[in-house]
Amino acid sequence: MSQTDILYIVLAAVVAVALAFFMYGFRSKISTQRKWFFGSLRFLTLFVVLLLIINPKIENTTYQIVKPKLSIVTDNSKSINYLEKTEEVLSFTELLQSNTAIQERFDVDVYQFDDDITTLDSIDFKGIQTNIYKALTTVAQLHKTKQYPLVLITDGNATYGNAYSYLSDTYQHPVYTVAVGDTTGYNDLTVSRVNTNRYAYIKNEFPVEVFVNYNGNSQVTTTLKVSRGNRVVYTEPLTFSAGTQSKTVNFHLPADRVGVQQYDISVDALADERHTDNNVRPFAVEVIDNATNILLVSAISHPDIGALQRAIASNEQRRVTLTTPDKAMAAIEDTQLVILYQPDARFQQFNEAIDRIDLNTLYITGLHTDWRFVNEAQDDFYKRISYPEEVVQAKLNTGYAAFAVEDIGFSNFPPLHASLGNFESTRPLDVLLSQQVQGIDTEAPLLFSMEFQGRKTAVFDAENIWKWRAYSYTKTGDFISFDNFFGNFIQYLSSNKRRTRLEVTSKSFYNSTDAIKIYAQYFDKNFVFDSRASLEIAIKNTDLDQLYRFPMLLKNNYFEVNLSSLPAGSYEYTVEAVGENTSKSGVFEIIAYDVEKQFLNPDVNQLTLLSEKTSGKTYFLAQSQSLIDDLLGDNRFVPIEKSIQKTVPLVDWKVLLFVLIVLLSIEWFSRKYSGWV
């Protein structure tokens, strides 16, 4: 409370005394006893009213006990079920969660995880992937300001995401790991990984890289086989021993058939091998008879060039050729799309050539672009430069109609550099991204496309695109989200297929551990996206002759269906607009592979390494009491008394209103009783 408030309160008391004396003490004929009684009541009433008018701020301090957090994170993947440890894991989690001493000491949060992490609800051990890295980092983000213990109950076998052992160097929370499974060692062979391209070209060969691991001490010999159907297409003998427990096998296979080709890689089981599910690993390659050729033309060096090349070439169906304007004419043959990076007068001859043959074109412009040349070189658009260089950010237009676009966090991407100006066009622009300057929408397009007489033209009006790709990696650990976004845009521009009212996007094959999703867009007769449409998909398993029907759900400017529940097999699908005579059909395959079934033992070494580097400890399911004792006995995690100081205006004290009503009521009833009212 300030000194000014204290002075006002003293003055209020003096004024209240003076008024009370004037009302009941000055020339009053009542008895002295009543003068004091009624005078005191009137003084208190006036003083409370004046206090409320002054409204001083009162500091209020309260104390509370803050318990440290304890996060219990339980593995919900299929591997726990395959290890036959579901009951033990459930009992361990429940015991730790319900322990009275733990509840008194900690504020307990319980989570379950597989490929994602959620609060523990109905754990069923049906997760098809195990992402331990994501589980740990997500919990750390929830409690990033404090050092809280985390209990991780898992077999330690991560099948998805980054390696969690690398996390331990920077992780701030002590991790107490609980290893699930039998640590008894058995002779075991595992096809741990297969690397190959998703696509191959007919009459070419595609590379295959296979990693085979051995767990055992004796020397053993086996044979690696690659089969397609009932035919073995490749074999190689392998020898392992206590000193050689892993081998990498590299070879090439011929792409002699167009379409999805399924293969099985296997190693012959050992005589005493108990677990053979991990001896076989399937993979698939789609053999295509042509590729999409992209020509990237630039007269300058810029980091964007490398980022664009890698993003486009991330899909093996596309080939990127980088060249300069003076050499571009020699590479124009069999090209579906030309990308002109920061064009200027040096592009004159080449630009005339692509104009004559009506090639689809993407202009990527920026601070080095000669806009006078660009405006004169084509008739599709015109940019009137009237503003200086500016940093711009992107805002997604959810009404973009050319293809389905998922928001990958454009508003959070680093700003790009552009020369601001207004675009004019005689043809309608389909804007995918618009510009924001200092958080204000300028309505100016950043990325747009247009179609006219079968030719597609697009403009990306900013440079330093490489920053977006780098930011995507820092947020997700890979370039997939950015590469998919840019790749879809390139695929749309390079296709000469005319747009139809119903567009469907799907892959030719999916692994059973992937998110199996099919996307669709439906447009009205003016080719404006129709969000009111109702789309359904009918799916037929051609192997089992079973038919499934699912509604497609609306998400921004596209419809989506998740088919991850379907079993492996070959499928035909038809997407149709309900009530409209419009449909689109296709085929896909789901390749059977259960990655969670590949492990025989827990990865105790990695769990121990994680615990040691985070100042935690490793336990087994039978050591629940030891874990509880260690958590309760660790002086790093003790409740603390926290003082909370609040500054509260006096007018917020509702009790003063009650006091004021009581004082006035007593005075009124007393005067009534005395016959003064």
Side-chain angles (χ1 to χ4, degrees):
M1 188 182 303
S2 66
Q3 293 182 352
T4 303
D5 288 339
I6 295 175
L7 178 60
Y8 284 148
I9 292 172
V10 172
L11 290 175
V14 172
V15 171
V17 169
L19 291 174
F21 176 75
F22 178 78
M23 293 177 181
Y24 288 105
F26 184 68
R27 295 182 180 181
S28 178
K29 298 180 180 180
I30 60 176
S31 65
T32 303
Q33 186 177 5
R34 288 186 175 182
K35 286 182 180 181
W36 280 104
F37 176 73
F38 287 108
S40 298
L41 287 176
R42 183 54 59 93
F43 162 74
L44 292 174
T45 301
L46 293 172
F47 185 62
V48 170
V49 171
L50 292 174
L51 278 181
L52 292 174
I53 294 173
I54 297 169
N55 192 25
K57 293 179 173 56
I58 309 298
E59 291 185 354
N60 183 28
T61 302
T62 58
Y63 298 90
Q64 67 179 38
I65 302 298
V66 179
K67 300 178 183 179
K69 288 281 186 182
L70 172 63
S71 298
I72 304 172
V73 186
T74 301
D75 193 339
N76 188 40
S77 63
K78 286 183 178 180
S79 60
I80 304 299
N81 189 25
Y82 295 144
L83 293 171
E84 299 180 352
K85 295 294 181 180
T86 56
E87 294 298 329
E88 291 92 328
V89 168
L90 285 172
S91 298
F92 191 99
T93 303
E94 185 177 349
L95 174 65
L96 196 61
Q97 181 182 5
S98 60
N99 184 273
T100 304
I102 291 291
Q103 289 181 338
E104 292 178 355
R105 178 73 170 272
F106 296 97
D107 184 7
V108 182
D109 292 331
V110 188
Y111 305 91
Q112 64 188 51
F113 75 96
D114 35 62
D115 60 338
D116 201 359
I117 180 170
T118 59
T119 55
L120 191 141
D121 183 13
S122 55
I123 191 165
D124 55 10
F125 304 104
K126 292 183 179 180
I128 60 176
Q129 294 271 34
T130 305
N131 193 340
I132 298 177
Y133 183 92
K134 184 175 183 179
L136 293 173
T137 53
T138 301
V139 175
Q141 290 172 358
L142 295 174
H143 311 307
K144 56 185 176 183
T145 58
K146 297 292 183 181
Q147 187 184 45
Y148 293 135
L150 183 149
V151 177
L152 178 65
I153 307 171
T154 179
D155 59 5
N157 295 308
T159 63
Y160 187 68
N162 297 336
Y164 64 90
S165 57
Y166 296 131
L167 182 67
S168 57
D169 295 327
T170 57
Y171 205 68
Q172 297 182 352
H173 303 276
V175 181
Y176 294 81
T177 56
V178 181
V180 178
D182 185 4
T183 58
T184 304
Y186 302 98
N187 285 350
D188 186 58
L189 289 170
T190 304
V191 180
S192 60
R193 187 172 181 178
V194 178
N195 292 331
T196 188
N197 296 335
R198 186 178 181 90
Y199 303 95
Y201 304 112
I202 189 68
K203 297 181 181 178
N204 287 344
E205 290 188 337
F206 60 92
V208 182
E209 184 179 43
V210 183
F211 295 86
V212 183
N213 295 333
Y214 168 65
N215 182 29
N217 296 317
S218 58
Q219 181 169 319
V220 296
T221 300
T222 186
T223 301
L224 182 142
K225 298 177 182 178
V226 182
S227 305
R228 184 172 64 185
N230 296 323
R231 179 187 169 204
V232 177
V233 297
Y234 181 84
T235 62
E236 183 173 332
L238 301 176
T239 301
F240 297 92
S241 63
T244 306
Q245 295 199 327
S246 65
K247 285 197 173 182
T248 304
V249 184
N250 293 281
F251 52 91
H252 287 75
L253 295 177
D256 52 6
R257 298 180 187 174
V258 175
V260 178
Q261 307 300 320
Q262 294 191 45
Y263 296 86
D264 288 314
I265 295 181
S266 63
V267 289
D268 291 341
L270 305 176
D272 57 346
E273 191 170 0
R274 298 180 56 181
H275 183 60
T276 59
D277 288 328
N278 54 7
N279 289 35
V280 181
R281 188 151 189 165
F283 74 96
V285 173
E286 183 178 2
V287 180
I288 55 180
D289 58 2
N290 54 32
T292 301
N293 294 313
I294 314 294
L295 190 60
L296 177 57
V297 185
S298 176
I300 64 173
S301 297
H302 196 283
D304 283 351
I305 304 297
L308 293 171
Q309 277 188 289
R310 289 175 174 82
I312 297 170
S314 62
N315 187 322
E316 296 91 343
Q317 284 185 296
R318 297 187 288 265
R319 294 173 178 170
V320 187
T321 302
L322 175 62
T323 186
T324 56
D326 57 323
K327 299 178 181 179
M329 291 297 297
I332 201 172
E333 185 178 356
D334 196 27
T335 295
Q336 284 77 48
L337 174 66
V338 174
I339 302 176
L340 304 181
Y341 186 81
Q342 307 256 27
D344 54 25
R346 288 171 286 185
F347 287 70
Q348 179 69 44
Q349 184 179 0
F350 179 66
N351 193 81
E352 292 175 355
I354 63 175
D355 213 28
R356 285 194 301 269
I357 59 179
D358 280 343
L359 267 179
N360 296 338
T361 309
L362 169 61
Y363 293 87
I364 299 182
T365 59
L367 305 182
H368 300 86
T369 301
D370 183 351
W371 274 105
R372 179 176 298 177
F373 163 75
V374 175
N375 289 335
E376 295 176 353
Q378 45 75 43
D379 300 324
D380 294 323
F381 57 88
Y382 180 90
K383 183 176 181 180
R384 191 180 303 277
I385 300 294
S386 56
Y387 301 98
E389 170 192 345
E390 187 58 86
V391 291
V392 299
Q393 288 186 289
K395 179 183 178 182
L396 177 65
N397 173 26
T398 56
Y400 184 70
F403 61 91
V405 181
E406 183 178 359
D407 190 352
I408 58 174
F410 295 105
S411 59
N412 298 320
F413 278 11
L416 306 179
H417 285 79
S419 298
L420 297 187
N422 296 324
F423 277 96
E424 299 175 4
S425 175
T426 58
R427 305 181 183 106
L429 303 182
D430 198 357
V431 179
L432 175 54
L433 300 174
S434 59
Q435 295 181 0
Q436 285 186 325
V437 177
Q438 298 181 359
I440 300 174
D441 294 338
T442 65
E443 304 300 330
L446 175 63
L447 175 59
F448 65 86
S449 62
M450 62 180 74
E451 293 186 41
F452 181 69
Q453 295 182 348
R455 183 183 178 185
K456 298 174 183 175
T457 305
V459 177
F460 198 138
D461 187 25
E463 65 177 62
N464 292 332
I465 303 170
W466 66 270
K467 293 183 179 180
W468 282 14
R469 193 168 188 263
Y471 179 82
S472 176
Y473 183 85
T474 61
K475 297 300 290 183
T476 62
D478 54 50
F479 301 106
I480 293 176
S481 59
F482 175 83
D483 289 354
N484 284 346
F485 156 71
F486 200 77
N488 288 338
F489 192 67
I490 293 298
Q491 180 180 344
Y492 158 69
L493 292 177
S494 58
S495 172
N496 291 319
K497 182 182 67 172
R498 289 185 177 272
R499 194 196 309 176
T500 60
R501 291 183 59 190
L502 179 60
E503 298 285 347
V504 179
T505 303
S506 68
K507 297 180 181 179
S508 55
F509 71 91
Y510 302 84
N511 292 315
S512 58
T513 54
D514 295 341
I516 305 171
K517 295 182 179 181
I518 293 179
Y519 306 92
Q521 285 186 303
Y522 183 75
F523 306 95
D524 61 20
K525 294 180 180 180
N526 295 319
F527 280 92
V528 176
F529 177 73
D530 188 357
S531 61
R532 298 170 300 174
S534 176
L535 300 188
E536 288 186 353
I537 183 170
I539 301 173
K540 181 180 180 181
N541 186 319
T542 56
D543 299 328
L544 304 176
D545 197 27
Q546 291 181 334
L547 185 65
Y548 308 88
R549 282 190 174 274
F550 301 98
M552 299 193 73
L553 304 179
L554 176 64
K555 288 194 173 182
N556 294 326
N557 64 328
Y558 62 91
F559 295 86
E560 175 189 278
V561 62
N562 191 330
L563 305 174
S564 300
S565 60
L566 294 179
S570 299
Y571 291 88
E572 299 173 348
Y573 71 84
T574 299
V575 177
E576 61 181 8
V578 178
E580 300 286 343
N581 189 24
T582 305
S583 64
K584 188 68 71 72
S585 300
V587 296
F588 66 90
E589 295 187 25
I590 301 178
I591 311 302
Y593 179 62
D594 192 346
V595 67
E596 293 292 328
K597 209 171 185 178
Q598 307 305 306
F599 305 104
L600 179 65
N601 301 109
D603 195 341
V604 179
N605 292 335
Q606 293 298 318
L607 293 176
T608 302
L609 181 63
L610 174 66
S611 294
E612 289 178 349
K613 287 193 173 184
T614 58
S615 301
K617 192 175 178 182
T618 300
Y619 305 84
F620 293 93
L621 289 174
Q623 298 176 298
S624 58
Q625 191 57 48
S626 297
L627 172 59
I628 292 173
D629 292 341
D630 289 344
L631 288 172
L632 296 175
D634 198 324
N635 292 327
R636 292 177 296 175
F637 319 121
V638 293
I640 60 173
E641 186 179 63
K642 184 178 180 180
S643 64
I644 302 175
Q645 194 171 58
K646 295 181 180 179
T647 301
V648 183
L650 192 67
V651 73
D652 289 345
W653 287 27
K654 296 180 180 179
V655 67
L656 287 180
L657 179 61
F658 175 76
V659 170
L660 187 61
I661 294 173
V662 170
L663 290 172
L664 290 172
S665 300
I666 293 174
E667 184 177 355
W668 187 86
F669 280 111
S670 298
R671 289 173 64 91
K672 182 78 172 177
Y673 179 77
S674 301
W676 295 351
V677 179

